[in-house]
Amino acid sequence: MKRLIALLVVALFSVGALGAPAAWAQAPKTTTPPAKSDTKAMGHDPIDLNTASEADLKMIPGIGDAYAKKIVQNRPYKRKDELVQKKVVPQATYDKIKEHVVAKQK
């Protein structure tokens, strides 16, 4: 009886091992790198923080009425990262909009 059980266990493992190589094989990775945000692809050039109107700023994804108003009130900007330094927008929002804005000097 023990031999029969042992033989059945060996047989089951053998059958499982024959079908398993296909399951063990890794499929080739076909992931594409994430597309970088491009202002040209969005349909506009980068918006100047120092001259844009509130309506222009609201066209940027992630900028609503409140952030547009704060951006205008805290002008001028030497660099676009001053949005975070002056606590106009949080870092997470800045990370979303930084490809869409510039801070030009006169």
Side-chain angles (χ1 to χ4, degrees):
M1 184 69 175
K2 288 184 181 181
R3 281 188 177 177
L4 181 62
I5 293 174
L7 184 61
L8 285 174
V9 169
V10 170
L12 287 175
F13 279 119
S14 298
V15 170
L18 291 176
W24 292 339
Q26 291 183 356
K29 294 190 179 198
T30 59
T31 59
T32 58
K36 185 170 178 162
S37 177
D38 185 14
T39 56
K40 299 280 187 201
M42 298 298 279
H44 62 82
D45 290 331
I47 297 174
D48 184 11
L49 294 171
N50 291 318
T51 60
S53 67
E54 286 185 31
D56 292 337
L57 292 168
K58 286 190 258 183
M59 292 187 333
I60 302 170
I63 300 295
D65 294 332
Y67 284 147
K69 187 174 183 178
K70 284 177 74 174
I71 289 169
V72 170
Q73 288 175 346
N74 286 285
R75 287 178 178 164
Y77 300 98
K78 294 177 186 172
R79 296 186 328 261
K80 62 184 177 181
D81 64 349
E82 287 184 356
L83 289 172
V84 177
Q85 292 174 353
K86 291 183 176 184
K87 297 183 180 174
V88 177
V89 298
Q91 183 68 47
T93 302
Y94 174 74
D95 291 339
K96 291 179 194 173
I97 69 168
K98 67 183 175 182
E99 301 296 327
H100 301 277
V101 297
V102 294
K104 294 182 181 175
Q105 303 298 310
K106 291 185 178 186

